[in-house]
Amino acid sequence: MTTVKKRRRLKKKFKLLLFFIIAFIIIFIVYKNFFTSSNNDESNNNSDSNTSKKNYDITDNIESDHDSAIDTIFANGMNIESYKAVVDQNTNYIKSNAKYNYIDYDFDSKLHYSEIEDIIKNMNNSDIVNVEIIGKSVDKRNIYGIEIGTGKKVLYLDANVHAAEIANTLILTKFLSELVNDYESGDEETISMLKSVKLAVILCMNPDGYEVYNFGVNSLNNKSLWMYQNKDNIDFENIKSNANGVDLNRNYPVQNAGLYFSGKKLLYNVSLTKTTSKTAYFGGEELGSEPETRAAMYFMLKHYKNTYAYINLHSQGRVIYAGKPNLSNKFNKITLKFAKDIAKINKYTVYGLSSEEVGEGNDGSVTDFMAELANGFVMSSKTGRLSTDKHINNSCELKYSYPVITMETIRTYTRNPEYFKDEYYNYGIRSVLYSLLKWSYE
C-alpha cells in the first residue's frame, strides 16, 4: 500500500507541476503579446508623430547657372513654412454610413457646384470611394480629392483650373458616376479593374471660377473679392483666374515660375499685375499664394510617387500638349508616346517640345509641378521653388516614370452641356478614360 500511495502522490505532484508549467507558459505568451502590442502602439504613435514631422525634401541648394540663366525674377518663391504646411496637412476624409444611390446624370443640364458636391457625397457612400476635403477656395467652397479603387497604381486626373474651362468637370463627373454605378451593380470587369488601379481625381480645381462662369458673378458669397469688385471690366466669357484674380495655372512653385531667362522676353500673355485683360494672365506676386493651388499641391504630393499617368484637363481646341524643354529626355520620350497613344483613340492633335516654352515668364502650371516631381525635383529654401542642378537639364534623373500631359477637350469655351455630352460619347473621351484604366489593368 505504501508503494501505491507514493505513486499516487508522485502522480499528483507531477500533474500539479505540469499545471503550473502550462499556466506559466500561457501567462508568458499573454504578457509577451501584450508587451509587444504596447510597443507596437508606441511605435505607431511615434510613427504618427514622425509623420507629422515629415521629411520635406527641402534643399538649400540653388541651380549652378542661377545667375547666368536668369534675367528677371518678378514673383517671389513660395514661403517654406507654407510649403511645410501643405506637406503636413492632415487627411480630412468625409465619413459616410449612408446607402449609395444610383447616380442618374447624363449631361442633362448645367450643374451648380453644390449639385456636384451632392454627387461627390453620394459617391462617397460606395465602399470603393474615399472623398477628402483637401482645401477651400478663396470664396470658402470645399475642394474635393476623390479616390476610387484599392489598387496601388494611381491614375491622376484633374480639371477646371481655369474658370471658363468647365467642360471637364462635368465630363469627369459623368465618368466617375458611371464607374461607381457599374461597381455597385456588380460589374465584374469594373470590380476587377478597381482592385488593380486607384483613381485620384480633383473634379474642379477652381470652384469659384466654375460657379461664376456658369451662373454669374453674384454667385460669389464674398462681394469684396477682386472678381466681384472688378465685375464691370471683366470679360467673363474668357475668364481664367480664381476669385482673387490669380491664374492658378501660373501659381505653382516650380523651377522657372515667376521669372524669365537672359536673352528672352516676357511672353505677351503674361501680366505682372492683376488684370482684366482677356489675353493676359497674372500668376500672383508669390508662388503658391492661392488656397486652390495649395489644395491641389497637397493631393499631388500625396499621390505622385504611385502615379502611372497624369492628365490635366482643359477645354479649348482638341489638342494634347506633351513635353517640358527643361526636363529629362527620358521623361519627354514617354510623355510624347503616351500622348500619341491617346490621340490614336480621340484623334486629337499632339504638340511636342517645339510647341512648349520655358523661361519666358509663362511657367508655373499644374503640369510643370507634377512633371518636376517625376524628375526628382525638390523644394529649395533658397528659391522657394522646386529645384535641380540647372535651369535646363535634359539629363536629370527621371525618378518616377509617369507621363504628364495637358489635354484640351472640345473646340472652345461653352456652358452648354450638350457639347460636353457630344465630346464624351462621340469624340473619344469616354474611350480614352476607360483605356487609361485598362492600360494599367491589362
Side-chain angles (χ1 to χ4, degrees), residues 47-259:
S47 176
D48 291 341
S49 175
N50 289 335
T51 298
S52 67
K53 298 177 181 177
K54 296 173 185 173
N55 179 357
Y56 295 100
D57 288 333
I58 292 175
T59 178
D60 60 359
N61 290 337
I62 193 166
E63 284 80 3
S64 61
D65 58 349
H66 182 78
D67 294 332
S68 60
I70 296 173
D71 182 301
T72 301
I73 297 175
F74 56 83
N76 294 324
M78 186 174 186
N79 178 281
I80 293 301
E81 293 306 314
S82 295
Y83 178 73
K84 289 179 180 179
V86 170
V87 179
D88 260 348
Q89 183 172 319
N90 294 323
T91 55
N92 188 18
Y93 287 113
I94 300 174
K95 295 181 180 179
S96 174
N97 296 313
K99 182 181 177 182
Y100 178 81
N101 294 313
Y102 181 89
I103 300 171
D104 187 16
Y105 175 71
D106 196 28
F107 306 99
D108 313 293
S109 62
K110 291 193 299 183
L111 296 177
H112 281 281
Y113 188 71
S114 60
E115 294 176 285
I116 294 173
E117 288 185 288
D118 289 340
I119 292 175
I120 292 171
K121 290 171 184 175
N122 184 34
M123 284 185 200
N124 194 44
N125 294 330
S126 172
D127 64 8
I128 204 65
V129 180
N130 286 305
V131 174
E132 183 177 2
I133 298 173
I134 59 174
K136 288 184 180 291
S137 68
V138 172
D139 202 33
K140 306 305 180 186
R141 289 176 174 84
N142 286 336
I143 302 172
Y144 298 92
I146 304 169
E147 299 167 359
I148 301 178
T150 57
K152 291 183 178 179
K153 297 179 181 179
V154 173
L155 171 61
Y156 196 111
L157 307 168
D158 51 34
N160 208 173
V161 68
H162 286 145
E165 300 180 35
I166 63 167
N168 298 301
T169 292
L170 297 185
I171 284 172
L172 289 180
T173 297
K174 172 60 182 175
F175 171 61
L176 297 189
S177 299
E178 194 174 305
L179 201 62
V180 180
N181 282 344
D182 287 346
Y183 172 84
E184 287 292 322
S185 67
D187 181 77
E188 291 184 2
E189 184 180 24
T190 301
I191 292 170
S192 183
M193 279 194 301
L194 293 179
K195 285 181 179 178
S196 299
V197 177
K198 178 182 289 183
L199 287 100
V201 182
I202 305 178
L203 286 179
C204 185
M205 304 174 78
N206 185 356
D208 302 338
Y210 171 92
E211 193 72 4
V212 167
Y213 180 74
N214 271 305
F215 302 104
V217 71
N218 286 322
S219 62
L220 288 174
N221 302 305
N222 183 352
K223 308 303 183 189
S224 68
L225 290 171
W226 180 90
M227 189 180 281
Y228 188 86
Q229 290 294 312
N230 290 274
K231 63 183 184 298
D232 294 334
N233 298 314
I234 294 174
D235 176 8
F236 285 101
E237 295 302 311
N238 294 281
I239 187 73
K240 284 182 177 283
S241 74
N242 71 348
N244 270 344
V246 174
D247 181 353
L248 299 173
N249 209 37
R250 302 294 180 272
N251 190 238
Y252 287 81
V254 300
Q255 184 184 51
N256 298 311
L259 58 83

Side-chain angles (χ1 to χ4, degrees), residues 13 21 29 31 34 43 54 97 103 133 146 153 157 159-160 164 265 275 284 310 326 346 349 359 372 405 407 424:
K13 288 181 179 179
I21 290 172
I29 291 171
Y31 176 79
F34 174 79
S43 176
K54 296 173 185 173
N97 296 313
I103 300 171
I133 298 173
I146 304 169
K153 297 179 181 179
L157 307 168
N160 208 173
K265 295 181 180 179
T275 177
Y310 170 80
N326 62 315
N346 62 9
T349 301
E372 290 181 13
I405 64 169
M407 185 160 68
Y424 185 68

